[in-house]
Amino acid sequence: MQASDSKQLFQVQMGAARGLYAIVVITALLFWLNQDSIKLYCQQRYHQSCEIPLLGQMPAWRTGAQLTALLEARRDDLLERLQPAPQVATAPLPEVLPAPIPVVTVDLQTPAALAKPLPHGAAHTPAPVHVPAPVAVAQPVAAAPMPEATPIADPAPTLLQPGTVASLAAGDEVFLVGDSLMQGVAPHLANSLRKRYQIRTVNLSKQSTGLAYPGFFNWPKTVAETLDHEPNVRLMVVFLGPNDPWDMPQGKGKPFLRFKSPEWEVAYRARIDSILEQARTHNVQVIWVGPPNMEKARLSTAMGYLSGLYQEQTALYGQHYVSANPILGYADASFSYTVQTAQGKRVKVRVDDGIHFTITGQKMIAEQVLSLISFPGLTVTGH
C-alpha cells in the first residue's frame, strides 16, 4: 500500500513539474516574441531604459522581435490584399466646351493672400484672427541652437465671428487629437458638432499617449497620416500633456533626456512643431487646449511648463492656444474640485484623481472650444 501511495505521489509531482515547465517555456516564448512591446510599456510606466543587460542585444534574443515584426507585416499585407479592389473609372465622354467667356481685367495690386484659394464655403473677406503675443524663449545652453522661427501666416479661413478663432463650412470635418483628457471631452464636442451643424469629427484620442514616447504612440506620424487620408479636415483640436513630464528616451542605447533639460525641450518643441507643420501644409486650423492645474503640485507645475511650450509654438504658427484653467475657474496656480456657477451653486468638475474631469467639466471644456468656432452659412439644427 505504501509503494502504491509513493507511486501516485511521484506521478502527481511529475505532472506538476511538467505543468510548471510548460508554463515557464510558454512565458519565455511570449516574452521573446513580444520583447519590444514589453520594453515600450516598461519605458512608458517607469520612465527609464528597460533593456535587459547582455541579453537584450544578443542576435538570438533579438530574432524574436524581428520574427514578430515580420509576422505583423505579413498580416497587414494579407489584410490589404483582402480589401476589395477599387473600381476602375470608365473614360468620360467627350465634353463640348462652352464659348470662351469675356476677358476680365485683374487688379495686380490685390494682395497675394487674397488671391490664394480658400476652403470651400469661405469668402475673400479679411477678418482679424487672434494670435497670442510672442513670448521670449530662453535659448538652451547645452543643446544645439534652435533655428530662429518666423511667424507663419494663419491658415484659418475668413468670416470669423467676433470672439471666434476658427471657421467651418458645410462638409468640413474636425480632427480630435489627445490623451485621456481629450477622450472625456471629445464625445461632447463631437455630438454638438454633429447635432447642431452636421459637422463630422475624426476622433483618435487615446489614453496614456503624448509626445514624449513616440515608440509607444507617435502622434506626429498619426497626424500626418490622418490629414493625408482625410482631406475634409479643416480644424484640429489638440488636448494632451499629463503623460509627458518625464525623462524622454532619445534612441536605442542612449541615455534618457532629463525632463526640462535644454535637450529635452528642443526635442519636445520639435514634436509640437511637426504637428503644427502638418496642419499648415494641409491648410488646417488648430485649437490647442492647454492642460489645467492639477491637484499634485509637482504635476501641476509641469503642466504649466508644457502649456508655455504649447502657447509659444502655436503663436509662431499663427494658430490658437486656449488654457483650460479659466474654463474651470482656476486663477494662477490654484486648484479646486468644484467651480461656482453663475447661479452661485458649486458643481464638481474634477474627479478624485485630481487629473481628469467629471462629465460637467468635460462639457464645460467642449462648450468653450465650440464657442471659438464660427459656422458662417450653417443653420443650427439641434441642441
Side-chain angles (χ1 to χ4, degrees):
M1 195 70 176
Q2 292 180 350
S4 176
D5 291 342
S6 298
K7 185 178 180 180
Q8 290 179 355
L9 178 60
F10 176 76
Q11 291 176 344
V12 171
Q13 291 175 340
M14 287 300 295
R18 284 193 295 267
L20 180 61
Y21 176 77
I23 292 174
V24 171
V25 171
I26 293 174
T27 302
L29 180 62
L30 292 175
F31 199 95
W32 180 63
L33 291 172
N34 297 282
Q35 55 185 276
D36 282 349
S37 298
I38 295 172
K39 185 168 60 178
L40 287 174
Y41 171 79
C42 182
Q43 289 180 353
Q44 180 83 355
R45 180 68 177 82
Y46 300 105
H47 314 293
Q48 60 183 358
S49 177
C50 297
E51 190 75 52
I52 301 176
L54 300 179
L55 180 64
Q57 294 303 320
M58 291 179 61
W61 177 255
R62 290 299 302 162
T63 301
Q66 296 167 3
L67 178 60
T68 299
L70 178 62
L71 292 175
E72 290 177 348
R74 294 291 177 86
R75 178 202 61 192
D76 294 341
D77 183 62
L78 176 61
L79 292 176
E80 185 175 349
R81 291 173 182 273
L82 293 177
Q83 294 292 332
Q87 295 182 351
V88 180
T90 56
L93 296 176
E95 181 178 354
V96 179
L97 298 178
I101 60 175
V103 177
V104 179
T105 304
V106 179
D107 183 6
L108 297 179
Q109 301 301 318
T110 302
L114 296 182
K116 293 176 62 179
L118 294 174
H120 59 280
H124 290 295
T125 304
V129 176
H130 172 69
V131 177
V135 182
V137 182
Q139 295 297 325
V141 178
M146 292 178 58
E148 183 177 355
T150 307
I152 300 174
D154 189 347
T158 56
L159 289 182
L160 297 179
Q161 298 174 357
T164 63
V165 298
S167 178
L168 294 175
D172 290 346
E173 298 177 1
V174 178
F175 181 23
L176 305 179
V177 172
D179 54 18
S180 55
L181 298 184
M182 176 59 90
Q183 277 186 317
V185 174
H188 306 291
L189 185 57
N191 286 338
S192 296
L193 287 168
R194 177 177 54 84
K195 292 180 179 179
R196 299 181 192 179
Y197 305 101
Q198 302 300 309
I199 295 291
R200 176 180 175 266
T201 55
V202 179
N203 178 19
L204 297 186
S205 57
K206 182 179 178 65
Q207 66 182 16
S208 302
T209 62
L211 302 182
Y213 288 83
F216 176 74
F217 189 86
N218 194 324
W219 269 119
K221 179 181 178 182
T222 300
V223 167
E225 292 175 349
T226 302
L227 294 183
D228 284 341
H229 292 89
E230 299 285 351
N232 292 329
V233 169
R234 294 272 64 83
L235 171 64
M236 178 166 55
V237 183
V238 185
F239 193 14
L240 43 75
N243 298 306
D244 285 345
W246 316 103
D247 294 350
M248 183 192 301
Q250 60 173 330
K252 186 174 297 184
K254 297 181 180 180
F256 275 40
L257 299 177
R258 298 287 295 175
F259 176 55
K260 286 188 178 181
S261 68
E263 297 84 0
W264 190 100
E265 184 173 314
V266 168
Y268 196 81
R269 285 181 186 271
R271 294 172 189 179
I272 299 173
D273 289 349
S274 63
I275 291 177
L276 295 171
E277 178 62 26
Q278 285 297 321
R280 184 197 65 80
T281 300
H282 292 82
N283 195 30
V284 172
Q285 308 156 89
V286 177
I287 297 178
W288 199 301
V289 184
N293 298 336
M294 304 291 171
E295 180 187 26
K296 294 182 179 179
R298 183 176 180 181
L299 181 59
S300 190
T301 300
M303 292 303 97
Y305 167 71
L306 294 181
S307 292
L309 303 184
Y310 302 148
Q311 184 173 13
E312 290 165 7
Q313 301 312 114
T314 51
L316 290 176
Y317 278 80
Q319 300 288 7
H320 186 75
Y321 168 88
V322 56
S323 172
N325 279 329
I327 305 172
L328 302 174
Y330 299 155
D332 301 325
S334 65
F335 174 85
S336 175
Y337 282 99
T338 62
V339 64
Q340 186 170 345
T341 65
Q343 294 74 28
K345 181 181 178 181
R346 298 206 70 86
V347 294
K348 191 172 183 180
V349 293
R350 306 293 287 274
V351 297
D352 294 340
D353 65 2
I355 299 175
H356 298 91
F357 314 111
T358 63
I359 294 179
T360 300
Q362 295 166 357
K363 289 181 176 180
M364 290 174 63
I365 295 174
E367 284 299 322
Q368 178 63 27
V369 172
L370 196 64
S371 71
L372 299 175
I373 309 171
S374 59
F375 303 87
L378 296 184
T379 305
V380 178
T381 57
H383 298 286

